[in-house]
Amino acid sequence: MSAVVPETRRFEAEVEQVLKLVTHSLYSHKEIFLRELISNASDACDKLRFEAIANPALSEGDNELRIEIEVDKEARTLTLRDNGIGMTRDEVIENIGTVARSGTRRFLESLSGDARKDTALIGQFGVGFYSAFVVADKVTLLSRRAGTEASEGVHWESTGTGEYTIETAEAARGTTVILHLKPEEDEFLEPWRVRTLVGKYSDHIAFPIRMLKQRHGEQEAAAEPEMETINHASALWTRPKSELKDEDYQGFYKHAAHAYDEPLAWTHNRVEGNQSYTSLLFLPTQAPFDMAFSGRDERKGLKLYIRRVFIMDASEQLLPSYLRFVRGVVDSDDLPLNVSREILQENRLVQQIRSGLTKRTLDLLDSLAADQKEKYATFFSAFGSVLKEGIAEDFSNKERIAKLLRFASTKSEGAAATVSLDDYIARMAEGQETIWYVTADSYAAAANSPQLEALKSRGIEVLLMFERIDEWVSGHLSEYAGKKFRNVAKGDIKLSDDEQKQRDEAEKEAAPIISRLKELLGDKVRDVKVSARLTESAACLVLDEYEMALHMQRLMRAAGQDVPAQAPVLEINPQHALVKRLGDEAADSTRAADLALIILDQARLAEGGQLDDPAAFLRRMNALVG
Ligand code: ADP
Ligand code: MG
């Protein structure tokens, strides 16, 4: 089997789908293919350098990692060559022929089938290697994994339409990608154009990117062709801040974080002391399109370097989970190069870096919150629910994190979270000592909750919490700046002496109605009381101080958990027409029984609950109106 016939294989169906989308959606920013391919070449060089620490033979005597770009006007090709890690045949099939990246899978799952929306999505998601097909009608890839024989190279070729060929070939270590440019893509055959693009998108790449030296005049034309480095070719984070422009940071972010949005903000620092390290941390603008982002298993985007050598993605070791949206790099001078994930977990220096990075991140958020409110709002709407986890997770920074939280409230417009706890405290009513909040499963249910009525009418602000995580967060947030938190739906509401007197009166007056309700509702309720919360609604359901919110109980049951159902406490508003009417009906009439059930069901509905028998509720309502 010496002359092997190239094998023709089909791309995975998903790859075809991605390819089609990419080529159709990127024509307005075609040039990003260059950034993508250079980024891959740089990753490949990083990987080789890392593997060569444990296995120096992999370098094959060629330690000068580099990326070379060549144009050939006659052949109409643009070639990118790296002497990085390279790929085996299986790796080529796996990395290029299938959708190996979980990100790609999730991207495909999120496709809507609506071409316009999907095109917008791909911009967020990025396209990597496949962007080559935006400008090329054929792509040839030649690769050889470091450490394998020269004859074990791989030759891969495709026109990007469903199939590719793959065969064994002689190859140098690393990967060469040859783009056979489409007829209309002449611009990428112009060396100056390519240089400009490298300057624009890839200057921050830490390895030299080289091109043939431009020749001027005839004398020089006779000379041997010479390569020159066209990028800055040093790790961006090692360069002085004063030398770096916003564009440099922005370009670097996209490469280092494999991200496609713009960074919202960054913080670049050098620490010297008992240990030295440099960190460059970014806040993204957009949450990853899959909100399964809360899945803690897949954390990427914070790269650990040791003395300029890329070691691994170590977000999990270097940042607490509630800051997992942070992207960037950390470069340590002191950790041993042969560090493993397990060692990282326990290393004292790593623990110090971790708390240092936590502090830097919180500092950055503080300064955004103080000076760039709009940016902070963008951040919070994308990642606020992740940050909230810190309340339970990071005891030592709890107060700082609480300060950074934003909520919707009865004194702000709409569902957007804009009110800070400091805002709330600054405008507390006279004599108010508590931070009031309500939890529900939607903004509407929270904002319209009957439990708020009395507080609202007294001008007391209530924070509206309606994200899933809020119930959990509020369980861990008992105090801020010396003020206690109270859920308006739980326990007794403390009244002033005057109000207490009035309520005792009302309770006495309403005694017959209360006992009637207790009788008619039986074990459907645990107790019936006159409410200090209501001014407009007929009734509401109230929980004990430590009881789980009703919408949470529903969620947990839906998730298959066994949550014992306890009959609720019903609080009534004796001033309400329905309640008064109940008092007027003959005790044993169907009307009275109907009214009692309607009052209870209304309380359930207002809380966001579902009725056991909605048809019966409607029948009773209609009978009442008719
Ligand atoms: P990503 O870079 O985000 O992983 P790409 O589509 O750009 O996605 O690349 C897919 C994979 O193909 C890479 O993860 C890598 O394993 C492999 N690959 C691409 N280009 C190279 C290269 N020049 N050298 C080695 N491997 C490469
Ligand atoms: Mg890539």
Side-chain angles (χ1 to χ4, degrees):
M1 278 242 333
S2 58
V4 196
V5 189
E7 185 186 345
T8 302
R9 301 172 68 116
R10 284 206 76 78
F11 284 112
E12 239 188 359
E14 286 97 334
V15 174
E16 268 187 74
Q17 210 182 333
V18 172
L19 272 169
K20 266 203 200 108
L21 255 163
V22 169
T23 40
H24 286 110
S25 56
L26 278 184
Y27 54 83
S28 54
H29 336 266
K30 296 177 190 178
E31 73 233 31
I32 66 143
F33 80 89
L34 194 61
R35 174 184 88 192
E36 293 298 324
L37 297 179
I38 291 175
S39 175
N40 285 349
S42 167
D43 288 348
C45 291
D46 265 337
K47 283 183 201 155
L48 176 65
R49 197 153 62 174
F50 174 65
E51 288 194 16
I53 298 168
N55 183 3
L58 286 182
S59 294
E60 300 171 14
D62 178 10
N63 276 319
E64 273 179 52
L65 297 169
R66 61 189 176 268
I67 300 160
E68 287 173 352
I69 306 179
E70 242 175 61
V71 292
D72 183 335
K73 286 192 179 173
E74 264 151 56
R76 297 190 50 77
T77 56
L78 175 65
T79 300
L80 281 103
R81 192 180 307 120
D82 69 67
N83 60 349
I85 192 74
M87 288 179 271
T88 63
R89 179 190 156 94
D90 286 350
E91 283 168 336
V92 171
I93 295 174
E94 168 82 7
N95 296 336
I96 310 277
T98 63
V99 181
R101 295 181 303 164
S102 55
T104 315
R105 287 227 178 275
R106 282 186 271 116
F107 166 70
L108 288 166
E109 281 159 16
S110 62
L111 287 182
S112 62
D114 172 341
R116 253 207 358 254
K117 274 197 212 143
D118 292 346
T119 300
L121 252 184
I122 203 148
Q124 265 186 56
F125 151 81
V127 290
F129 178 81
Y130 302 127
S131 61
F133 289 101
V134 177
V135 295
D137 46 25
K138 187 167 84 181
V139 176
T140 309
L141 178 143
L142 202 61
S143 192
R144 181 168 67 79
R145 182 77 159 88
T148 62
E149 298 293 324
S151 59
E152 289 182 77
V154 194
H155 180 277
W156 177 101
E157 197 163 83
S158 175
T159 54
T161 48
E163 285 179 349
Y164 61 86
T165 61
I166 189 162
E167 65 191 300
T168 309
E170 288 267 329
R173 180 192 80 210
T175 302
T176 301
V177 180
I178 304 165
L179 308 180
H180 306 267
L181 295 173
K182 291 178 183 170
E184 66 275 20
E185 306 301 347
D186 283 356
E187 57 174 302
F188 302 112
L189 292 171
E190 295 299 337
W192 62 265
R193 172 74 174 134
V194 175
R195 280 168 183 253
T196 311
L197 289 175
V198 170
K200 182 169 171 197
Y201 291 118
S202 307
D203 188 52
H204 58 78
I205 294 289
F207 300 97
I209 301 173
R210 309 200 307 175
M211 284 185 81
L212 268 188
K213 206 165 180 170
Q214 304 282 88
R215 281 173 292 181
H216 306 283
E218 272 169 43
Q219 279 179 325
E220 280 190 66
E224 275 290 293
E226 213 184 311
M227 298 294 265
E228 66 179 343
T229 299
I230 58 169
N231 67 328
H232 208 282
S234 66
L236 175 125
W237 62 90
T238 61
R239 292 163 59 186
K241 280 196 226 184
S242 55
E243 199 185 275
L244 293 165
K245 295 190 293 287
D246 285 359
E247 296 88 87
D248 296 321
Y249 284 111
Q250 285 157 346
F252 178 75
Y253 165 77
K254 289 182 185 158
H255 163 68
H258 286 236
Y260 295 88
D261 57 348
E262 293 296 331
L264 189 69
W266 53 86
T267 175
H268 182 186
N269 301 95
R270 169 99 189 134
V271 171
E272 314 254 8
N274 67 350
Q275 68 162 329
S276 307
Y277 63 90
T278 302
S279 63
L280 172 52
L281 307 179
F282 293 91
L283 297 178
T285 304
Q286 279 173 342
F289 56 86
D290 53 332
M291 277 317 261
F293 178 62
S294 51
R296 290 158 171 252
D297 45 333
E298 204 179 313
R299 286 182 53 187
K300 278 218 148 166
L302 189 65
K303 292 181 161 186
L304 173 65
Y305 284 76
I306 297 176
R307 293 181 289 285
R308 256 61 76 213
V309 178
F310 171 67
I311 305 295
M312 66 179 93
D313 213 295
S315 170
E316 232 160 298
Q317 287 75 25
L318 295 173
L319 277 174
S321 168
Y322 72 96
L323 298 179
R324 60 185 176 275
F325 44 79
V326 172
R327 302 281 177 264
V329 299
V330 177
D331 189 349
S332 160
D333 290 358
D334 307 295
L335 290 169
L337 275 173
N338 60 357
V339 76
S340 69
R341 232 168 249 290
E342 291 66 38
I343 293 176
L344 278 184
Q345 218 93 47
E346 287 151 20
N347 188 289
R348 190 180 44 82
L349 296 177
V350 174
Q351 294 314 316
Q352 279 175 17
I353 296 178
R354 187 181 163 107
S355 58
L357 299 182
T358 302
K359 185 177 167 303
R360 292 282 178 212
T361 307
L362 295 176
D363 288 348
L364 178 61
L365 292 174
D366 278 347
S367 76
L368 276 191
D371 308 327
Q372 293 182 276
K373 294 208 171 5
E374 246 168 66
K375 276 195 179 177
Y376 190 71
T378 305
F379 160 78
F380 200 82
S381 74
F383 301 108
S385 57
V386 178
L387 182 68
K388 279 179 187 170
E389 295 172 11
I391 294 289
E393 205 178 305
D394 186 352
F395 189 77
S396 61
N397 286 305
K398 193 167 171 172
E399 189 89 358
R400 286 197 74 179
I401 299 165
K403 197 183 182 66
L404 286 165
L405 298 187
R406 297 291 180 270
F407 302 92
S409 109
T410 50
K411 289 197 177 165
S412 70
E413 285 283 311
T418 56
V419 178
S420 71
L421 295 174
D422 292 328
D423 295 338
Y424 182 98
I425 290 173
R427 59 191 186 215
M428 273 182 159
E430 219 181 275
Q432 185 186 345
E433 277 161 17
T434 317
I435 301 173
W436 291 99
Y437 68 93
V438 65
T439 63
D441 50 11
S442 69
Y443 170 72
N448 301 316
S449 165
Q451 269 102 344
L452 311 182
E453 289 170 5
L455 290 172
K456 262 202 232 161
S457 71
R458 276 181 262 177
I460 293 178
E461 181 169 13
V462 180
L463 301 177
L464 307 173
M465 304 192 185
F466 48 89
E467 286 191 337
R468 258 179 207 208
I469 187 174
D470 287 338
E471 188 65 27
W472 187 59
V473 170
S474 61
H476 285 87
L477 198 60
S478 52
E479 228 181 276
Y480 176 77
K483 309 279 185 222
K484 293 236 178 326
F485 282 83
R486 278 281 315 269
N487 186 328
V488 297
K490 291 185 181 179
D492 261 337
I493 292 214
K494 207 176 137 213
L495 302 165
S496 66
D497 291 348
D498 269 2
E499 286 171 322
Q500 186 65 45
K501 236 182 252 158
Q502 280 175 21
R503 181 167 152 211
D504 291 346
E505 291 280 301
E507 190 103 32
K508 229 184 274 165
E509 246 172 71
I513 296 188
I514 288 183
S515 63
R516 178 171 289 188
L517 271 168
K518 282 186 187 167
E519 202 172 300
L520 290 168
L521 295 174
D523 56 11
K524 288 192 174 66
V525 291
R526 185 157 81 228
D527 199 359
V528 180
K529 294 180 185 172
V530 167
S531 184
R533 293 166 230 261
L534 301 173
T535 56
E536 287 160 31
S537 303
C540 65
L541 302 179
V542 178
L543 299 169
D544 282 347
E545 203 77 55
Y546 295 105
E547 216 171 332
M548 190 190 297
L550 292 167
H551 70 274
M552 273 311 281
Q553 296 189 17
R554 285 195 292 275
L555 267 178
M556 309 247 324
R557 284 195 198 102
Q561 302 217 32
D562 190 21
V563 184
Q566 219 188 351
V569 172
L570 181 71
E571 287 194 355
I572 57 160
N573 173 6
Q575 302 309 315
H576 194 275
L578 276 180
V579 180
K580 283 186 173 158
R581 208 154 147 188
L582 175 63
D584 297 339
E585 299 290 343
D588 55 354
S589 65
T590 346
R591 263 271 146 128
D594 279 355
L595 274 166
L597 286 169
I598 287 171
I599 290 169
L600 175 63
D601 281 349
Q602 286 195 348
R604 282 191 181 133
L605 283 173
E607 178 275 324
Q610 282 188 349
L611 303 181
D612 297 335
D613 188 352
F617 172 73
L618 292 176
R619 197 167 0 88
R620 287 184 209 112
M621 278 301 281
N622 291 336
L624 188 71
V625 182

